[in-house]
Amino acid sequence: MKALRAVFTFITMLLAMATNAQKLVSSFSKADSLRGDIHSPLRTCYDINFYHLNVAFDLAQKNISGSNLFKFTATRDFKRLQFDLFANLNIQKVEYHGQQLPVERLYDAVFLTFDREIKAGAQDSFRVYYSGKPHEAKNAPWDGGMVFSKTADNSYWVATACQGLGASAWWPNKDQQADEVDSALISINVQKGLTAVSNGRLVAKKELNNGYTRFDWKVENPINNYAISANIAPYTQISDSYNGLNGKLALNYYVLPQDVEKAKNQFKQVKQMLEAFEYWFGPYPFYKDGYKIVQTPFLGMEHQSAVAYGNEFKNGYLGRDLSGTGWGLKWDFIIVHESAHEWFGNNITAKDIADMWLHESFTTYAESLFTEYWYGEEAGAAYVIGQRNLVQNDKPIIGTYGVNSPGSGDMYFKGANLLHTIRQLVNNDEKWRNILRGLNTTFGKKTCTGTEIIAYLTKETGLNLVPAFEQYLNYTNIPTLETKNEAGKVWCRWLSDVSNFEMPIKTSDGKWLFPKTTWTVLADYNNASQLKIEPNFYINFKRDP
């Protein structure tokens, strides 16, 4: 019973993460549209090229202050644009070529009006100065915000986790996934004796006259806003390297001093992770920025090149196997899952959070592929099949577009089993691996839609996958294969919400069936009781006795 309660607790947390503090209602507010509309002309009028975020943390007061430089290219003529900053944070001023510009605020959106027309193709910039007490997370990463904590010896330990909630919860930016900044400089100012860790590589460390130290981190790759992070603690750095597909990859781990030996042992799994995922997905996408793990006072998050880690140096998910098969205890869930996001979520990024399944379905499926790489195909299959017990089938996996609303938490386990089923349809493992690698080549360091990914998979597999994706992503039901004995023959059909649903299916004795939504005869069988479906296919099976 205790284990069952743990599973239900985990599901509850997953659903909370999937909704990320969004109200589960049938209608959405103006605030939701301002936050989630990626097609607003006040957002599409400029392409963000570079940020320099320079922020100081007053940890005793839980206060932040600083500035962010926006460098952009105009995509059309305009005089007015939108950026984002939570309403509880103050804007001191916005500077543009030495002048202060007026701003208007509505909910968490900020509207900036220029004193001249910005012409299409022009490269320009402005700087926002701000301060205040950022939104504080109560149960990160499920609700999001700034995490203010203390170490066992009462030192400050602070981190950010703002997926879904929005990066504008702690710094001003164009807060949407559709337009990733091309590069960034992140300067974090903290009191002396503490270390500040962010994304990319540390390019400078400077002792300031005010008792603070500034750490400058440079990101050379496109990065989504929620992946930009600040981590502050009396960290100890552990350095290593990995000889990967694109050469030598810098590995750095920032952990609390008392956990150094635990980290050295547990983080040996990083090289195993890299070997497996470079095999399946292609080169780690961010060699220029390196790979880091940063110990945090919350479970974990896929912060690009700075993976947040709070799994207590245990295998499994805080010592539990979510698949119930035992395979999940062979490796550290956070190292594997959050690092897989470097390929799916950070390299390939959904334009709209409604398509968050592109991040979570592929990443959860990657857990199975990691297991397969190190423990064999049967182990990998058993792991992903075991996760079916966690599927809720509560609402569609695809959320509502344009209002910053993700879909069901089933994007994790149901989505992973959908991809595992698609692999069976391809029926060629080398081809499937090349398709996964091709995804990261074709859509890497870009933002995309779910429709684009499905179209790519359909083209590369040569299969009509649209009905399958529509059924699994847009409806709560999974397809049911129904059989019956009638007139001395065995008949079958698909029961589905999609009217033109079609999907071949393989039997346990190796035969392929091609059911339709109308009754068809199975010539190879004399009785429906003989029919058994290969368990790698995630379907319901309704068979006559």
Side-chain angles (χ1 to χ4, degrees):
M1 181 61 72
K2 186 180 293 185
L4 187 60
R5 282 198 300 268
V7 169
F8 282 124
T9 299
F10 175 73
I11 287 295
T12 301
M13 290 191 295
L14 273 186
L15 293 175
M17 184 177 185
T19 56
N20 283 291
Q22 297 295 312
K23 299 186 291 288
L24 296 178
V25 293
S26 58
S27 61
F28 295 89
S29 68
K30 178 67 173 178
D32 296 322
S33 297
L34 288 170
R35 172 75 173 85
D37 185 2
I38 65 175
H39 301 295
S40 164
L42 296 180
R43 283 176 150 178
T44 59
C45 64
Y46 71 110
D47 175 30
I48 192 69
N49 305 134
F50 175 80
Y51 288 129
H52 179 197
L53 172 62
N54 186 1
V55 59
F57 285 78
D58 181 344
L59 298 180
Q61 299 300 317
K62 296 184 178 180
N63 193 74
I64 60 176
S65 61
S67 66
N68 189 33
L69 173 67
F70 291 65
K71 288 187 176 181
F72 65 89
T73 300
T75 61
R76 61 173 177 81
D77 296 352
F78 72 92
K79 288 190 68 174
R80 184 175 167 88
L81 61 73
Q82 176 188 333
F83 66 89
D84 305 278
L85 183 67
F86 269 37
N88 62 296
L89 295 173
N90 304 312
I91 295 177
Q92 270 81 47
K93 61 180 177 178
V94 177
E95 281 189 348
Y96 176 69
H97 296 297
Q99 303 295 318
Q100 290 191 36
L101 294 182
V103 297
E104 301 170 55
R105 305 189 76 172
L106 181 60
Y107 303 110
D108 299 329
V110 184
F111 303 100
L112 178 64
T113 301
F114 292 85
D115 59 357
R116 69 198 73 173
E117 187 171 59
I118 311 296
K119 295 296 185 180
Q123 294 184 326
D124 216 330
S125 65
F126 61 92
R127 191 186 299 269
V128 180
Y129 293 83
Y130 76 107
S131 65
K133 292 183 182 294
H135 178 82
E136 189 170 352
K138 294 181 175 61
N139 187 28
W142 316 112
D143 60 344
M146 190 75 67
V147 181
F148 293 97
S149 184
K150 292 287 188 74
T151 65
D153 59 1
N154 207 38
S155 293
Y156 289 112
W157 190 14
V158 177
T160 56
C162 54
Q163 184 184 19
L165 177 69
S168 53
W170 70 280
W171 61 285
N173 60 86
K174 184 180 182 181
D175 205 356
Q176 55 158 278
Q177 292 179 187
D179 185 8
E180 291 187 328
V181 70
D182 302 322
S183 61
L185 180 63
I186 305 153
S187 300
I188 303 175
N189 302 262
V190 295
Q191 65 190 58
K192 289 181 181 179
L194 296 173
T195 297
V197 183
S198 190
N199 314 80
R201 293 180 185 266
L202 182 66
V203 294
K205 175 183 175 183
K206 184 177 181 179
E207 301 293 338
L208 306 177
N209 294 328
N210 61 356
Y212 273 62
T213 304
R214 188 180 73 221
F215 296 82
D216 294 329
W217 293 88
K218 185 178 182 182
V219 178
E220 296 195 32
N221 287 282
I223 185 169
N224 60 60
N225 293 327
Y226 77 78
I228 291 179
S229 63
N231 306 277
I232 302 165
Y235 286 121
T236 296
Q237 180 183 357
I238 305 168
S239 295
D240 200 353
S241 63
Y242 176 73
N243 294 318
L245 294 181
N246 279 357
K248 188 175 181 179
L249 174 64
L251 308 178
N252 286 285
Y253 313 129
Y254 288 84
V255 299
L256 301 182
Q258 63 267 29
D259 291 326
V260 168
E261 293 307 315
K262 291 179 184 178
K264 285 180 178 179
N265 181 60
Q266 190 73 358
F267 294 170
K268 290 176 183 177
Q269 295 185 37
V270 167
K271 293 182 180 180
Q272 294 178 315
M273 173 276 298
L274 288 166
E275 182 178 334
F277 289 160
E278 287 206 327
Y279 170 83
W280 283 110
F281 307 139
Y284 172 74
F286 309 113
Y287 271 73
K288 286 184 178 180
D289 291 328
Y291 173 92
K292 292 190 295 298
I293 290 180
V294 188
Q295 188 178 0
T296 55
F298 64 90
L299 180 62
M301 182 60 71
E302 64 266 23
H303 298 146
Q304 185 173 310
S305 72
V307 171
Y309 178 89
N311 203 38
E312 301 178 357
F313 307 100
K314 297 177 180 179
N315 280 356
Y317 176 94
L318 292 173
R320 303 198 304 273
D321 174 19
L322 299 178
S323 75
T325 64
W327 293 113
L329 295 177
K330 300 289 187 181
W331 41 267
D332 189 308
F333 177 89
I334 293 298
I335 292 175
V336 171
H337 180 91
E338 303 302 347
S339 298
H341 274 305
E342 296 281 43
W343 285 264
F344 296 98
N346 297 339
N347 191 39
I348 300 173
T349 305
K351 288 181 182 293
D352 193 305
I353 202 171
D355 278 330
M356 202 164 84
W357 68 273
L358 296 180
H359 300 195
E360 300 301 349
S361 297
F362 279 94
T363 294
T364 305
Y365 177 57
E367 300 166 23
S368 168
L369 296 180
F370 174 89
T371 304
E372 176 177 335
Y373 184 87
W374 288 106
Y375 302 104
E377 188 172 350
E378 290 186 6
Y383 178 85
V384 72
I385 291 171
Q387 291 179 320
R388 294 174 189 173
N389 291 325
L390 301 177
V391 175
Q392 300 293 290
N393 284 321
D394 56 344
K395 62 176 184 173
I397 287 175
I398 293 179
T400 303
Y401 292 101
V403 288
N404 195 50
S405 177
S408 170
D410 279 349
M411 68 180 77
Y412 293 82
F413 309 120
K414 183 177 180 179
N417 272 279
L418 165 60
L419 295 173
H420 186 63
T421 299
I422 298 298
R423 177 186 181 177
Q424 312 314 310
L425 299 177
V426 174
N427 199 31
N428 182 325
D429 287 347
E430 187 61 20
K431 182 177 181 179
W432 180 238
R433 182 169 78 98
N434 287 332
I435 288 171
L436 295 174
R437 292 165 71 96
L439 278 171
N440 278 276
T441 300
T442 304
F443 298 98
K445 300 176 183 174
K446 298 177 184 176
T447 62
C448 60
T449 66
T451 300
E452 290 174 315
I453 296 296
I454 293 169
Y456 179 88
L457 292 172
T458 296
K459 176 178 178 292
E460 295 301 317
T461 61
L463 303 170
N464 180 16
L465 301 177
V466 174
F469 275 102
E470 185 179 355
Q471 180 64 44
Y472 286 87
L473 297 178
N474 292 322
Y475 297 95
T476 57
N477 299 314
I478 62 173
T480 296
L481 182 65
E482 185 179 25
T483 64
K484 67 178 181 179
N485 296 306
E486 187 174 288
K489 298 178 180 179
V490 179
W491 302 73
C492 75
R493 67 173 178 180
W494 282 119
L495 298 176
S496 65
D497 297 283
V498 176
S499 59
N500 63 337
F501 184 81
E502 59 177 65
M503 186 175 77
I505 196 85
K506 192 177 183 180
T507 64
S508 295
D509 56 356
K511 294 184 177 68
W512 282 94
L513 310 180
F514 299 89
K516 303 180 183 299
T517 52
T518 56
W519 288 107
T520 57
V521 174
L522 297 178
D524 292 337
Y525 295 92
N526 298 318
N527 194 292
S529 63
Q530 299 172 317
L531 192 61
K532 295 182 180 179
I533 301 301
E534 223 287 326
N536 284 310
F537 289 83
Y538 181 43
I539 66 164
N540 287 323
F541 184 37
K542 184 179 179 182
R543 181 176 58 190
D544 265 5

